Amino acid sequence: MSSSPSSASPFTQFVHNGAFAGLLLVCTAIIAFVWANSPLRDSYSALQQTYFSLALGDSALKLSLEHWVNDGLMAIFFLLVGLEIKRELLIGELASRRRATLAVAAAAGGMLVPASLYALLNAGGPGSSGWGVPMATDIAFALGVLALLGSRVPVGLKVFLTALAIVDDLGAVLVIALFYTSGVQLAFLGLAALTWGAALICGRRGVVSLKLYGVLGILLWFFVLQSGLHATIAGVLLAFAVPIRKPDPAGYLASLTDAAKPGRGEQVGARLRDLEDQLERSQSPLHRLEHALHPVVTFAVLPIFALMNAGVTVSSGGLGTVALGVTLGLLLGKPLGVVGGAWLAVRLGVAALPRRVNWPQMIGAGLLAGIGFTMSLFVSNLAFDDAALLTQAKLGVLMASVLAAVLGAAWLLLVSRKGEQVAVTGLKPDH
């Protein structure tokens, strides 16, 4: 079913913009990498360490630009992730038990196997805390590659990879909250809990004002930041408070029938405008917020994050077990875990492959799941205080993400051509 751009779902818009969004991320990452390894590298470090203060009465919050991006802007990214998770759980792909089981099983394997590979290589060493780095999938990059492949890839595979990445992100959020959190300040944690409770009450009562959720979200972010938990968790917490409701088909039909009644041109035009207004108002706060955040995150938040975090100075860290663990975790552990988890779920009869998707294509999805980039870079910043180890982790993420994108695209092109050959000849490709 086709739809106009204005009525397209957030998922459809995300896939359509995926190629450009991925390209934008690549370009900003390359700019940061070249800048950090050029004679102007000092200006890059100076930009990261430029401090800005936000004063509120007698108190002030002073953070470097790098921290404002990683703790502030990325909270918006995590808000969008939370909205996507909630929507998928309630009315999306994860609302179906069998489809959800496939995505959860694949994501679980895709997190456990990379983390285990990394832990084996770095057990007892200074880089042991980085086991969470190769666990996540970058939705923008992965879907960007699929968008470039176009109709060669079945829609079912795109939907599966999206659901997988969303479950993956949920797992990453839990890992950050449980394992990459500093000492907790109970007073601020209590204030954060009260603020979140107020947001949840508003959501349960069907409050639709996005401005109210915005104010509560800013307070929640500040209290979570001061509590010692990572501030971006506030974005996910707020997302689960924003209400979602199903549209009323009867109301739409009545308005559409009224708009179709005969009359003068200006009368029909006025009815159509009323119908458009009603359709706009009938969108749930979650859908409205998700539509508003998609372009902000895709074309501003993520590129700025890449610019601030992909500037890795190669000479300062070199390659070691941290870089090797991240690279093997994403390139080898991800496809093994994703395909293995999905195969086990299908074998046990609790899940089924998406329509028109076969196991060779699932291997391609597993390879693309190795594009860690955004979330992996983010976890790297939390896992390592040592600059040399952080450099190794980021180098591993960048190398593995590029190789995963190339290998995944090449593999899917190969299996799609073999599939076309079978469809045309009726024979296996090697006959």
Side-chain angles (χ1 to χ4, degrees):
M1 182 182 294
S2 62
S3 61
S4 64
S6 60
S7 61
S9 69
F11 170 73
T12 303
Q13 291 182 349
F14 199 77
V15 171
H16 287 170
N17 292 331
F20 182 75
L23 181 62
L24 185 60
L25 275 178
V26 170
C27 289
T28 50
I30 291 174
I31 290 171
F33 187 82
V34 172
W35 189 357
N37 289 278
S38 72
L40 300 175
R41 64 173 64 91
D42 290 341
S43 64
Y44 181 79
S45 299
L47 177 66
Q48 289 178 310
Q49 298 307 314
T50 301
Y51 278 79
F52 293 93
S53 296
L54 180 63
L56 186 63
D58 295 330
S59 60
L61 185 61
K62 187 176 182 180
L63 299 172
S64 68
L65 181 58
E66 183 180 15
H67 280 106
W68 276 117
V69 171
N70 293 345
D71 294 348
L73 279 185
M74 287 301 284
I76 301 174
F77 166 75
F78 276 86
L79 172 58
L80 180 60
V81 168
L83 294 171
E84 289 176 332
I85 291 171
K86 181 174 181 177
R87 173 174 50 79
E88 291 295 323
L89 285 171
L90 294 179
I91 61 173
E93 288 299 310
L94 300 180
S96 164
R97 183 180 63 82
R98 288 176 69 83
R99 288 197 293 266
T101 301
L102 183 69
V104 170
M111 289 185 285
L112 291 174
V113 176
S116 299
L117 276 176
Y118 180 94
L120 285 174
L121 285 170
N122 290 273
S128 58
S129 61
W131 55 269
V133 174
M135 291 178 66
T137 297
D138 190 295
I139 300 178
F141 262 146
L143 290 184
V145 173
L146 287 183
L148 290 173
L149 296 175
S151 60
R152 296 182 185 89
V153 178
V155 173
L157 192 68
K158 298 177 182 178
V159 173
F160 164 75
L161 188 59
T162 302
L164 164 69
I166 287 173
V167 177
D168 222 332
D169 283 345
L170 178 58
V173 170
L174 293 175
V175 167
I176 291 169
L178 296 175
F179 300 102
Y180 293 113
T181 292
S182 57
V184 175
Q185 300 292 323
L186 293 179
F188 282 106
L189 187 62
L191 289 172
L194 289 174
T195 306
W196 188 39
L200 288 172
I201 291 172
C202 290
R204 290 294 298 270
R205 293 188 174 182
V207 176
V208 298
S209 172
L210 293 183
K211 292 181 180 179
L212 176 60
Y213 291 110
V215 171
L216 290 173
I218 292 172
L219 290 173
L220 180 60
W221 174 84
F222 176 77
F223 292 143
V224 171
L225 176 68
Q226 297 298 320
S227 74
L229 296 177
H230 200 274
T232 52
I233 295 172
V236 179
L237 294 177
L238 180 65
F240 279 87
V242 178
I244 182 173
R245 62 171 181 267
K246 294 182 179 179
D248 177 18
Y252 288 163
L253 185 59
S255 298
L256 189 60
T257 303
D258 184 62
K261 290 179 180 178
R264 296 179 181 177
E266 60 271 14
Q267 292 176 327
V268 174
R271 292 171 188 165
L272 289 174
R273 286 191 295 274
D274 289 342
L275 177 59
E276 289 177 353
D277 291 340
Q278 181 178 336
L279 289 172
E280 181 69 24
R281 290 193 302 271
S282 66
Q283 281 191 320
S284 72
L286 186 145
H287 283 95
R288 286 191 287 126
L289 185 56
E290 192 177 1
H291 276 289
L293 289 180
H294 261 288
V296 175
V297 169
T298 301
F299 303 117
V301 173
L302 292 182
I304 292 173
F305 172 81
L307 186 65
M308 285 290 105
N309 289 273
V312 183
T313 304
V314 176
S315 60
S316 66
L319 297 178
T321 55
V322 170
L324 181 62
V326 171
T327 303
L328 286 180
L330 289 172
L331 277 182
L332 181 62
K334 268 293 181 181
L336 285 177
V338 167
V339 178
W343 179 85
L344 185 61
V346 172
R347 183 68 180 242
L348 292 175
V350 296
L353 289 184
R355 187 182 178 190
R356 295 180 180 175
V357 174
N358 54 41
W359 285 112
Q361 291 170 332
M362 289 290 286
I363 294 174
L367 287 168
L368 291 181
I371 305 174
F373 199 73
T374 301
M375 195 69 80
S376 293
L377 288 175
F378 187 81
V379 176
S380 297
N381 289 322
L382 302 180
F384 299 112
D385 293 324
D386 184 271
L389 295 178
L390 179 58
T391 294
Q392 280 196 46
K394 288 186 174 183
L395 277 175
V397 170
L398 295 176
M399 290 188 302
S401 296
V402 171
L403 288 172
V406 172
L407 292 174
W411 177 265
L412 287 172
L413 281 174
L414 177 64
V415 298
S416 67
R417 286 174 181 170
K418 286 186 177 180
E420 290 170 0
Q421 184 177 349
V422 171
V424 171
T425 65
L427 301 173
K428 293 182 179 180
D430 55 353
H431 284 190

